[in-house]
Amino acid sequence: MMFKAIDTEPVVANEKFVRLLRKNKLKVTQPRLSVLQIISDKDTAISQPELEKLLGNEIDRVTLYRVLATFEEKGILHKIFDLHGTATYALCSTECDEHHHHDQHVHFICSICNSIYCLEDIKLPKINLPEGYQLDSVGINAVGRCAQCKALAE
């Protein structure tokens, strides 16, 4: 009797993420690829607890924390705090790297559902600092109701 071999090869990862990890001199691992896939599939920023729920038992909390910290350090993700002070994460632009984040845009936070949206088309104004000062980052949050929450209220 012949048995068909079970394919034990992992699902081929999104090549875009493989290239991104290699560009940043990071080892291509399934936990890293899974985190990138989940974050890229979302329209909003996502918190570590939300990621934990979506990943289930695939990644333990410590590994997830390290992946997020590494991605932020390398300029793959940027961190935004929601209205409750919880850190959420969104993908950076392709111009970001470990030396400089170029995600100078407004974040919209819904006061009803607490979702955070990157408004990348709204650029921040140039900030002229006094001599001797160094600007490391700028963050502007707009707070209101997202389209979905606004529609539910009407």
Side-chain angles (χ1 to χ4, degrees):
M1 178 181 239
M2 299 278 299
F3 291 100
K4 184 178 176 184
I6 297 173
D7 186 7
T8 57
E9 287 295 311
V11 176
V12 175
N14 185 324
E15 283 301 314
K16 175 175 80 172
F17 299 139
V18 171
R19 285 192 306 274
L20 179 63
L21 292 172
R22 288 184 178 148
K23 173 186 152 199
N24 285 283
K25 297 176 178 49
L26 293 172
K27 190 174 178 183
V28 177
T29 66
Q30 195 57 50
R32 288 177 175 158
L33 292 170
S34 295
V35 168
L36 286 170
Q37 186 64 57
I38 289 171
I39 291 174
S40 72
D41 287 345
K42 299 266 303 170
D43 291 335
T44 61
I46 188 169
S47 68
Q48 182 174 343
E50 288 177 278
L51 277 166
E52 284 181 39
K53 285 180 196 170
L54 292 171
L55 290 163
N57 293 330
E58 185 179 337
I59 303 173
D60 64 78
R61 180 174 286 161
V62 173
T63 301
L64 178 57
Y65 176 79
R66 287 181 182 149
V67 167
L68 292 172
T70 299
F71 284 177
E72 187 180 7
E73 179 184 303
K74 292 287 189 176
I76 296 170
L77 297 179
H78 63 283
K79 186 188 301 186
I80 315 104
F81 292 94
D82 68 14
L83 295 175
H84 305 294
T86 302
T88 63
Y89 300 88
L91 286 173
C92 284
S93 72
T94 55
E95 292 101 42
C96 292
D97 61 34
E98 65 183 306
H99 304 294
H100 194 277
H101 280 273
H102 296 275
D103 287 296
Q104 302 294 321
H105 58 260
V106 174
H107 293 99
F108 183 88
I109 305 175
C110 180
S111 59
I112 306 298
C113 68
N114 203 32
S115 293
I116 299 175
Y117 300 85
C118 291
L119 303 179
E120 295 177 9
D121 292 338
I122 303 173
K123 299 299 177 194
L124 301 178
K126 184 178 191 283
I127 299 183
N128 296 314
L129 295 173
E131 192 172 324
Y133 286 71
Q134 176 184 326
L135 182 67
D136 291 325
S137 68
V138 175
I140 295 179
N141 294 331
V143 180
R145 289 183 287 164
C146 69
Q148 190 173 15
C149 290
K150 183 177 178 274
L152 288 173
E154 294 174 350

